[in-house]
Amino acid sequence: MATDIQISIVGSAGDGTIAAGEILRSALAGMGYKVISFDVYPPEIRGFGKCIARMRITTEQAYSLKNKSDVLISLDDSHAIPHAGEVRECGAVIYERGSIVQLPEGGHISAHIGPGQLPYPVPIRELSEKSTGANRSRNIVVLGFLAGLLSLPAEAFRKAIGRKFKSKAAAAEASEAAFKAGLDLAAQTFKLDDVMFGPPVSTVVAGATVEMINGNAAVVRGALDAGIDTFFGYPITPATSIMERLASEMPKRGARLLQTEDEISAISATIGAGFAGARAATSTSGPGLALMAEMLGLGVIAEVPSVVFVSQRGGPSTGMPTKTEQSDLHMAVYGGHGDAPRIVIAPTNVDGCYRCGGKAFEMAEAYQTPVIVLLDLYLSNRYETVVFPSRPPFEADCNRKPGKLQAGEQYKRFALTGDLISPRAIPGEKGGMHVITGLEHNELGRPNDQAQMHEAMSRKRHEKLKAALRHPDFTHYKRFGDEGQVDVGLISWGSTFGECLEAMYKARGEGIRCAAMKVVMLSPFPTHGVAAFMNDCKQVLVPELNYQGQFANLLQAHVAKPVTRLNRVPGEPMKVEDILEEIRRLAGRGKTAQKAA
Amino acid sequence: MAETAKSARHHVVVGSGVAGFQAAETLRERDPDSRITILTLSRLLFYKRYDLPKVFRGSRDWREFLVHPAEFYRDRRIGMRRASHVANVDSRRKVITLDHKEEIRFDTLLVASGGRAYLPEELAEFRPLMHNFGSYEDAITMAKALPERGHAIMLGGDMIGLDLARTLIDTQHRVTLVAGPHTFWPHEVGESERPALVATLEKMGIEVIEGADTGGIASIEQGARGFSARRVLFKDGTEIAGDVVMPFFGLMPSVEFMLGSGVDIERGLLVSPGLRTTDESIYAAGDVCQIWSDAERRYRFYYGWKNVRAMGDLAARNITGSSDPWVPAQDEKLHISGDGRIQSPFWEYE
Ligand SMILES: Cc1cc2nc3c(=O)[nH]c(=O)nc-3n(C[C@H](O)[C@H](O)[C@H](O)COP(=O)(O)OP(=O)(O)OC[C@H]3O[C@@H](n4cnc5c(N)ncnc54)[C@H](O)[C@@H]3O)c2cc1C
């Protein structure tokens, strides 16, 4: 029996919602299931704001969260009530049976459980208090209840709880008691929902390892596996955990990390380190990237390798720091002054974060330019089970080294070679002495603002990047679904591609000829491959999480065939159902058409 | 919650058995703009209780017992508040309080909270060793405890139990009935009619032990390992062993939450022939109420699916403007049908 179950835990900050989610997904991944999970948390402090831990557990590969959950656990009704309708028919709603305060009609979640859903009132607070003497372990009580209800092995949970509280003996002990209390209650509870776990299926090849990891952690792992030497950063949600993780990992490998005073300084130092020959990176979010724009120009003109990890959030300005959005694409691709082309790659899933996280260093070195890896909050915080290869799939050195100089020959740092990529000497390298500034220059690097030179160098900076479109062992774009001519083709990027894939497979299930293409390399744009795909599509749909259709704009700048845009800015991942509805409409199978049929 | 105009009346029904459900359906037909909320302890939508013996014929999924699917409630805007325990009714403020402290205002209230299995006091201490058969959950739990060709011991044996006994015999189980005054509940059976009815039970294959009943039972015990799961020991020193022991002593009306409401209660809620309680906005129907009988000059219960459904319908009609009286069925006698079955005129059969 294939497993495809989505569980949502909704509570208030301070309820332990996210911690419960962490334990649950760690237990389930430990059992061998594939897990995709995405937590939503508020910027506020304890006692305020909604937290959601949502995860999809599967045996087959899944690409996104589902619209409907199979189980909803409420740790705080005021926040969970709006989500009651997201539980599917015959799914379970687990909630606090009692209340300590008088409630008006509708103030309890039981008022919002639909006739097709199955209620599980649980004395959560009482069990926590009885088993631990405090109500803090309510989140663990519900995990015990859930484990019992769904007949999941308690041992896997106990291990996950142990991992979570490994340095907090008292919390571990209380959690064990609370878990047991929930488990015991489930044993006396009649199961009515039809949520069933089948056995996990292992598809892991020998030598590989499987890990539950989120997008930011995967980027870090990619960077480490690619041999990052230095990192300079300034914290900002949702990119902070990249720096935090690197801060604990890099020193173990003799690498160095510095928290700078701001983003301008972070990118400056990164470019400096890149110039010195280090594999260097920084990370930020939209507002930080805006501050980095000026220095990125330096990286471009000076042709210095550097990597910038950007995790997008709702903007502009401070905007919605804890909500996801894909609205920094224009800035990543075009942002800055002058003609400043750069490489922009955007992974579409957590595995892709690992690969892009490492490949970015190869590309930065190989094409001597800043590389922006564009994530978004959804991808940064989304957990997936990822299979890591036994050996890192990254090249340790992609630098084009200068050959031996002839007698009397002077090293040209910006030599206009056939492919316009110049041999790059690292400062201190014998015979590689050269000048670098932010000024336009000649091949030697000396300031030169002659029209011809600016034309030649501008061309060099743009055209050399074309080689990146053939960068080895990298998926620049990829087509999925039906081969040949299709009625509807989806093109998408970043985290939204998961929802597109899911919608595309559903549409195919409804008999619509459909395909989807993910575009990972956004700059330079893989026009050829994308245009070929669009030629196969009667209709092209571009779903993305921004208002302007930033990717659609980029696409239309390269391919003239008109596309249909699907833009949403809910601060949450796009709904598969919305995409599917649009596919149906484009295929002439909209709701009205269906009803008439 | 159903969305209706603010001015619309809120009809609240306590209970999602046949009385409550039927009332809600009739209320919706007759008062289309109203808000209707059913409050019930049950975690399931209204289902056919009389079909529960089917769990022994292979039906185990609760969906097979539902009278209507979820859409029915959505389409008719009938709010179903399941797993909701009414703790208190304040008739003056017209407010119901659920045990999780939520307050619900009503314009009219229909109490259709039915009854729960009655267990004589002398057997109360053995409750953990007995299986009830009052709900879907009970039925499944009991079915899991009774092995194939297993032996069920029924104490008392009311009409609910006799229905189950028939199915158990049909499905190759052994049934012993410790008979007594409740054996044909809710029917009152005279001394002269009883032997023929008991003989009919025996002909069906039920082993009947007469004269022991509650007073004759000394204790109920867990069976020894490797033997039957339960033993019933009688005061005369005899004993029988079986896999499950089930009490069937009729029902006790569920009225606790109405105790402070101010309406008149005897054993059940006392209602007029129009099913109204002593409070003009509160009605009652089904197993929970005792209806005034002009003919008998007393308040009395009327049981059975057909009766109770008619009560639900009548109460709803009267809540929405009619003033019809309850007309009881004339025939309340048990019959023995041509094929040797005991039949009640107001009982619905699987
Ligand atoms: C197991 C069983 C089998 C039966 N089999 C048959 C049969 O085969 N044929 C036949 O004709 N009759 C049968 N009957 C009898 C007949 O079904 C009853 O007369 C009838 O079901 C009573 O219906 P009701 O709506 O009055 O109450 P019930 O069906 O008992 O429903 C009572 C409702 O009230 C709710 N409730 C109670 N207290 C509260 C509270 N405090 N807060 C919220 N909700 C509350 C309960 O959850 C339930 O939904 C059977 C009865 C039982 C118990």
Side-chain angles (χ1 to χ4, degrees), chain A residues 390-420:
Chain A
S390 50
R391 282 187 38 212
F394 308 121
E395 293 297 326
D397 185 358
C398 297
N399 205 23
R400 180 174 296 182
K401 296 186 176 52
K404 268 224 153 98
L405 296 173
Q406 305 297 320
E409 193 186 350
Q410 203 175 356
Y411 167 64
K412 290 181 179 163
R413 169 65 189 90
F414 301 101
L416 294 165
T417 60
D419 62 3
L420 300 170

mmCIF file of all heavy atoms in Angstrom, chain A residues 390-420:
data_model
loop_
_atom_site.group_PDB
_atom_site.id
_atom_site.type_symbol
_atom_site.label_atom_id
_atom_site.label_comp_id
_atom_site.label_asym_id
_atom_site.label_seq_id
_atom_site.Cartn_x
_atom_site.Cartn_y
_atom_site.Cartn_z
ATOM 1 N N SER A 390 27.486 9.010 -2.435
ATOM 2 C CA SER A 390 28.586 8.641 -1.536
ATOM 3 C C SER A 390 29.761 9.611 -1.690
ATOM 4 O O SER A 390 30.489 9.858 -0.740
ATOM 5 C CB SER A 390 29.029 7.209 -1.817
ATOM 6 O OG SER A 390 29.249 7.058 -3.191
ATOM 7 N N ARG A 391 29.932 10.177 -2.910
ATOM 8 C CA ARG A 391 31.005 11.168 -3.080
ATOM 9 C C ARG A 391 30.412 12.463 -3.590
ATOM 10 O O ARG A 391 29.577 12.464 -4.489
ATOM 11 C CB ARG A 391 32.039 10.649 -4.083
ATOM 12 C CG ARG A 391 32.976 9.619 -3.453
ATOM 13 C CD ARG A 391 34.105 9.226 -4.390
ATOM 14 N NE ARG A 391 34.626 10.344 -5.167
ATOM 15 C CZ ARG A 391 35.109 10.183 -6.407
ATOM 16 N NH1 ARG A 391 35.114 9.005 -6.975
ATOM 17 N NH2 ARG A 391 35.596 11.224 -7.058
ATOM 18 N N PRO A 392 30.831 13.591 -3.046
ATOM 19 C CA PRO A 392 30.257 14.867 -3.488
ATOM 20 C C PRO A 392 30.424 15.054 -4.997
ATOM 21 O O PRO A 392 31.524 14.831 -5.522
ATOM 22 C CB PRO A 392 31.083 15.909 -2.736
ATOM 23 C CG PRO A 392 31.705 15.190 -1.598
ATOM 24 C CD PRO A 392 31.860 13.774 -2.021
ATOM 25 N N PRO A 393 29.356 15.453 -5.678
ATOM 26 C CA PRO A 393 29.422 15.564 -7.141
ATOM 27 C C PRO A 393 29.956 16.928 -7.592
ATOM 28 O O PRO A 393 29.428 17.502 -8.548
ATOM 29 C CB PRO A 393 27.968 15.367 -7.542
ATOM 30 C CG PRO A 393 27.188 15.927 -6.398
ATOM 31 C CD PRO A 393 28.013 15.754 -5.163
ATOM 32 N N PHE A 394 30.950 17.456 -6.908
ATOM 33 C CA PHE A 394 31.456 18.790 -7.265
ATOM 34 C C PHE A 394 32.954 18.754 -7.556
ATOM 35 O O PHE A 394 33.701 18.013 -6.912
ATOM 36 C CB PHE A 394 31.187 19.769 -6.116
ATOM 37 C CG PHE A 394 29.754 19.767 -5.653
ATOM 38 C CD1 PHE A 394 29.428 19.466 -4.338
ATOM 39 C CD2 PHE A 394 28.716 20.049 -6.545
ATOM 40 C CE1 PHE A 394 28.109 19.444 -3.915
ATOM 41 C CE2 PHE A 394 27.395 20.026 -6.130
ATOM 42 C CZ PHE A 394 27.085 19.722 -4.814
ATOM 43 N N GLU A 395 33.342 19.591 -8.517
ATOM 44 C CA GLU A 395 34.768 19.724 -8.854
ATOM 45 C C GLU A 395 35.437 20.653 -7.839
ATOM 46 O O GLU A 395 34.879 21.696 -7.482
ATOM 47 C CB GLU A 395 34.921 20.352 -10.244
ATOM 48 C CG GLU A 395 34.434 19.470 -11.381
ATOM 49 C CD GLU A 395 35.234 18.186 -11.501
ATOM 50 O OE1 GLU A 395 36.458 18.209 -11.230
ATOM 51 O OE2 GLU A 395 34.620 17.147 -11.820
ATOM 52 N N ALA A 396 36.646 20.269 -7.448
ATOM 53 C CA ALA A 396 37.332 21.053 -6.417
ATOM 54 C C ALA A 396 37.949 22.333 -6.983
ATOM 55 O O ALA A 396 38.136 23.308 -6.264
ATOM 56 C CB ALA A 396 38.414 20.204 -5.753
ATOM 57 N N ASP A 397 38.251 22.322 -8.272
ATOM 58 C CA ASP A 397 38.911 23.505 -8.832
ATOM 59 C C ASP A 397 38.487 23.686 -10.289
ATOM 60 O O ASP A 397 38.750 22.826 -11.138
ATOM 61 C CB ASP A 397 40.440 23.308 -8.739
ATOM 62 C CG ASP A 397 41.187 24.557 -9.183
ATOM 63 O OD1 ASP A 397 40.516 25.539 -9.599
ATOM 64 O OD2 ASP A 397 42.431 24.547 -9.130
ATOM 65 N N CYS A 398 37.810 24.764 -10.574
ATOM 66 C CA CYS A 398 37.348 25.014 -11.947
ATOM 67 C C CYS A 398 38.032 26.240 -12.546
ATOM 68 O O CYS A 398 37.560 26.828 -13.519
ATOM 69 C CB CYS A 398 35.842 25.210 -11.969
ATOM 70 S SG CYS A 398 34.936 23.770 -11.441
ATOM 71 N N ASN A 399 39.061 26.641 -11.900
ATOM 72 C CA ASN A 399 39.745 27.851 -12.335
ATOM 73 C C ASN A 399 40.512 27.616 -13.640
ATOM 74 O O ASN A 399 41.144 26.581 -13.803
ATOM 75 C CB ASN A 399 40.724 28.254 -11.225
ATOM 76 C CG ASN A 399 41.034 29.725 -11.254
ATOM 77 O OD1 ASN A 399 40.251 30.503 -11.781
ATOM 78 N ND2 ASN A 399 42.167 30.080 -10.703
ATOM 79 N N ARG A 400 40.409 28.558 -14.570
ATOM 80 C CA ARG A 400 41.233 28.456 -15.779
ATOM 81 C C ARG A 400 42.588 29.089 -15.466
ATOM 82 O O ARG A 400 42.687 30.307 -15.305
ATOM 83 C CB ARG A 400 40.575 29.162 -16.952
ATOM 84 C CG ARG A 400 41.432 29.057 -18.200
ATOM 85 C CD ARG A 400 40.756 29.616 -19.415
ATOM 86 N NE ARG A 400 39.558 28.862 -19.781
ATOM 87 C CZ ARG A 400 38.816 29.139 -20.847
ATOM 88 N NH1 ARG A 400 39.146 30.132 -21.639
ATOM 89 N NH2 ARG A 400 37.751 28.429 -21.130
ATOM 90 N N LYS A 401 43.583 28.231 -15.394
ATOM 91 C CA LYS A 401 44.892 28.740 -14.945
ATOM 92 C C LYS A 401 45.663 29.341 -16.107
ATOM 93 O O LYS A 401 45.559 28.862 -17.229
ATOM 94 C CB LYS A 401 45.693 27.593 -14.339
ATOM 95 C CG LYS A 401 45.015 27.059 -13.094
ATOM 96 C CD LYS A 401 45.831 26.037 -12.380
ATOM 97 C CE LYS A 401 45.125 25.621 -11.103
ATOM 98 N NZ LYS A 401 43.726 25.201 -11.297
ATOM 99 N N PRO A 402 46.437 30.367 -15.810
ATOM 100 C CA PRO A 402 47.254 30.947 -16.879
ATOM 101 C C PRO A 402 48.358 29.962 -17.281
ATOM 102 O O PRO A 402 48.913 29.287 -16.410
ATOM 103 C CB PRO A 402 47.865 32.188 -16.242
ATOM 104 C CG PRO A 402 47.348 32.255 -14.844
ATOM 105 C CD PRO A 402 46.640 31.006 -14.522
ATOM 106 N N GLY A 403 48.635 29.901 -18.552
ATOM 107 C CA GLY A 403 49.742 29.048 -19.003
ATOM 108 C C GLY A 403 51.069 29.755 -18.722
ATOM 109 O O GLY A 403 51.090 30.860 -18.158
ATOM 110 N N LYS A 404 52.118 29.108 -19.143
ATOM 111 C CA LYS A 404 53.454 29.744 -18.951
ATOM 112 C C LYS A 404 53.561 30.944 -19.870
ATOM 113 O O LYS A 404 53.164 30.882 -21.032
ATOM 114 C CB LYS A 404 54.525 28.718 -19.310
ATOM 115 C CG LYS A 404 54.984 27.922 -18.118
ATOM 116 C CD LYS A 404 56.512 27.812 -18.162
ATOM 117 C CE LYS A 404 57.073 27.632 -16.785
ATOM 118 N NZ LYS A 404 57.370 26.291 -16.444
ATOM 119 N N LEU A 405 54.045 32.018 -19.359
ATOM 120 C CA LEU A 405 54.208 33.221 -20.182
ATOM 121 C C LEU A 405 55.482 33.097 -21.013
ATOM 122 O O LEU A 405 56.478 32.530 -20.564
ATOM 123 C CB LEU A 405 54.298 34.466 -19.304
ATOM 124 C CG LEU A 405 53.054 34.808 -18.475
ATOM 125 C CD1 LEU A 405 53.359 35.972 -17.535
ATOM 126 C CD2 LEU A 405 51.905 35.180 -19.402
ATOM 127 N N GLN A 406 55.407 33.592 -22.236
ATOM 128 C CA GLN A 406 56.612 33.674 -23.071
ATOM 129 C C GLN A 406 57.502 34.792 -22.511
ATOM 130 O O GLN A 406 57.002 35.682 -21.817
ATOM 131 C CB GLN A 406 56.241 34.025 -24.526
ATOM 132 C CG GLN A 406 55.226 33.088 -25.159
ATOM 133 C CD GLN A 406 55.732 31.666 -25.267
ATOM 134 O OE1 GLN A 406 56.909 31.437 -25.584
ATOM 135 N NE2 GLN A 406 54.875 30.692 -24.981
ATOM 136 N N ALA A 407 58.737 34.725 -22.853
ATOM 137 C CA ALA A 407 59.658 35.765 -22.371
ATOM 138 C C ALA A 407 59.159 37.129 -22.842
ATOM 139 O O ALA A 407 58.792 37.302 -24.015
ATOM 140 C CB ALA A 407 61.062 35.497 -22.912
ATOM 141 N N GLY A 408 59.094 38.051 -21.936
ATOM 142 C CA GLY A 408 58.684 39.415 -22.254
ATOM 143 C C GLY A 408 57.174 39.573 -22.352
ATOM 144 O O GLY A 408 56.669 40.680 -22.490
ATOM 145 N N GLU A 409 56.436 38.463 -22.266
ATOM 146 C CA GLU A 409 54.976 38.551 -22.364
ATOM 147 C C GLU A 409 54.406 39.024 -21.030
ATOM 148 O O GLU A 409 54.871 38.615 -19.968
ATOM 149 C CB GLU A 409 54.392 37.170 -22.688
ATOM 150 C CG GLU A 409 52.942 37.214 -23.122
ATOM 151 C CD GLU A 409 52.363 35.815 -23.290
ATOM 152 O OE1 GLU A 409 53.150 34.825 -23.244
ATOM 153 O OE2 GLU A 409 51.143 35.699 -23.436
ATOM 154 N N GLN A 410 53.381 39.849 -21.112
ATOM 155 C CA GLN A 410 52.782 40.351 -19.886
ATOM 156 C C GLN A 410 51.449 39.630 -19.651
ATOM 157 O O GLN A 410 50.676 39.414 -20.585
ATOM 158 C CB GLN A 410 52.548 41.856 -20.027
ATOM 159 C CG GLN A 410 52.463 42.515 -18.693
ATOM 160 C CD GLN A 410 52.346 44.033 -18.827
ATOM 161 O OE1 GLN A 410 52.399 44.589 -19.930
ATOM 162 N NE2 GLN A 410 52.199 44.699 -17.719
ATOM 163 N N TYR A 411 51.209 39.230 -18.418
ATOM 164 C CA TYR A 411 49.964 38.502 -18.092
ATOM 165 C C TYR A 411 48.765 39.419 -18.278
ATOM 166 O O TYR A 411 48.734 40.535 -17.757
ATOM 167 C CB TYR A 411 50.029 37.976 -16.655
ATOM 168 C CG TYR A 411 48.700 37.490 -16.142
ATOM 169 C CD1 TYR A 411 48.069 36.387 -16.751
ATOM 170 C CD2 TYR A 411 48.060 38.132 -15.085
ATOM 171 C CE1 TYR A 411 46.831 35.956 -16.296
ATOM 172 C CE2 TYR A 411 46.830 37.698 -14.630
ATOM 173 C CZ TYR A 411 46.219 36.616 -15.237
ATOM 174 O OH TYR A 411 44.997 36.187 -14.800
ATOM 175 N N LYS A 412 47.766 38.911 -19.041
ATOM 176 C CA LYS A 412 46.552 39.700 -19.279
ATOM 177 C C LYS A 412 45.404 39.070 -18.487
ATOM 178 O O LYS A 412 44.875 38.031 -18.899
ATOM 179 C CB LYS A 412 46.197 39.701 -20.765
ATOM 180 C CG LYS A 412 47.147 40.494 -21.619
ATOM 181 C CD LYS A 412 46.649 40.425 -23.061
ATOM 182 C CE LYS A 412 47.563 41.235 -23.953
ATOM 183 N NZ LYS A 412 47.366 40.867 -25.366
ATOM 184 N N ARG A 413 45.051 39.701 -17.440
ATOM 185 C CA ARG A 413 43.970 39.149 -16.596
ATOM 186 C C ARG A 413 42.648 39.096 -17.358
ATOM 187 O O ARG A 413 41.824 38.214 -17.145
ATOM 188 C CB ARG A 413 43.832 40.011 -15.317
ATOM 189 C CG ARG A 413 42.594 39.717 -14.479
ATOM 190 C CD ARG A 413 42.632 38.319 -13.891
ATOM 191 N NE ARG A 413 41.370 37.947 -13.263
ATOM 192 C CZ ARG A 413 40.374 37.348 -13.890
ATOM 193 N NH1 ARG A 413 40.467 37.012 -15.158
ATOM 194 N NH2 ARG A 413 39.279 37.054 -13.247
ATOM 195 N N PHE A 414 42.448 40.055 -18.274
ATOM 196 C CA PHE A 414 41.171 40.121 -18.988
ATOM 197 C C PHE A 414 41.347 39.833 -20.479
ATOM 198 O O PHE A 414 40.699 40.462 -21.324
ATOM 199 C CB PHE A 414 40.502 41.479 -18.748
ATOM 200 C CG PHE A 414 40.233 41.740 -17.288
ATOM 201 C CD1 PHE A 414 41.055 42.566 -16.535
ATOM 202 C CD2 PHE A 414 39.172 41.109 -16.656
ATOM 203 C CE1 PHE A 414 40.815 42.778 -15.187
ATOM 204 C CE2 PHE A 414 38.935 41.309 -15.292
ATOM 205 C CZ PHE A 414 39.761 42.146 -14.560
ATOM 206 N N ALA A 415 42.199 38.861 -20.751
ATOM 207 C CA ALA A 415 42.488 38.526 -22.153
ATOM 208 C C ALA A 415 41.207 38.168 -22.894
ATOM 209 O O ALA A 415 40.357 37.445 -22.368
ATOM 210 C CB ALA A 415 43.453 37.348 -22.189
ATOM 211 N N LEU A 416 41.066 38.684 -24.091
ATOM 212 C CA LEU A 416 39.870 38.406 -24.897
ATOM 213 C C LEU A 416 40.114 37.113 -25.662
ATOM 214 O O LEU A 416 40.526 37.100 -26.813
ATOM 215 C CB LEU A 416 39.582 39.587 -25.824
ATOM 216 C CG LEU A 416 39.183 40.867 -25.073
ATOM 217 C CD1 LEU A 416 39.274 42.103 -25.974
ATOM 218 C CD2 LEU A 416 37.780 40.746 -24.498
ATOM 219 N N THR A 417 39.836 36.009 -24.983
ATOM 220 C CA THR A 417 40.085 34.689 -25.563
ATOM 221 C C THR A 417 38.927 34.312 -26.487
ATOM 222 O O THR A 417 37.926 35.039 -26.575
ATOM 223 C CB THR A 417 40.185 33.639 -24.447
ATOM 224 O OG1 THR A 417 38.934 33.665 -23.754
ATOM 225 C CG2 THR A 417 41.312 33.948 -23.474
ATOM 226 N N GLY A 418 39.052 33.129 -27.088
ATOM 227 C CA GLY A 418 37.998 32.661 -28.006
ATOM 228 C C GLY A 418 36.643 32.583 -27.320
ATOM 229 O O GLY A 418 35.634 33.041 -27.855
ATOM 230 N N ASP A 419 36.616 31.989 -26.137
ATOM 231 C CA ASP A 419 35.311 31.891 -25.444
ATOM 232 C C ASP A 419 35.131 33.048 -24.448
ATOM 233 O O ASP A 419 34.192 33.041 -23.657
ATOM 234 C CB ASP A 419 35.164 30.546 -24.730
ATOM 235 C CG ASP A 419 36.208 30.336 -23.638
ATOM 236 O OD1 ASP A 419 37.014 31.262 -23.406
ATOM 237 O OD2 ASP A 419 36.215 29.249 -23.032
ATOM 238 N N LEU A 420 36.048 33.987 -24.511
ATOM 239 C CA LEU A 420 35.979 35.218 -23.721
ATOM 240 C C LEU A 420 36.171 34.984 -22.217
ATOM 241 O O LEU A 420 35.929 35.877 -21.406
ATOM 242 C CB LEU A 420 34.672 35.978 -23.992
ATOM 243 C CG LEU A 420 34.503 36.386 -25.469
ATOM 244 C CD1 LEU A 420 33.095 36.903 -25.721
ATOM 245 C CD2 LEU A 420 35.530 37.457 -25.854
#
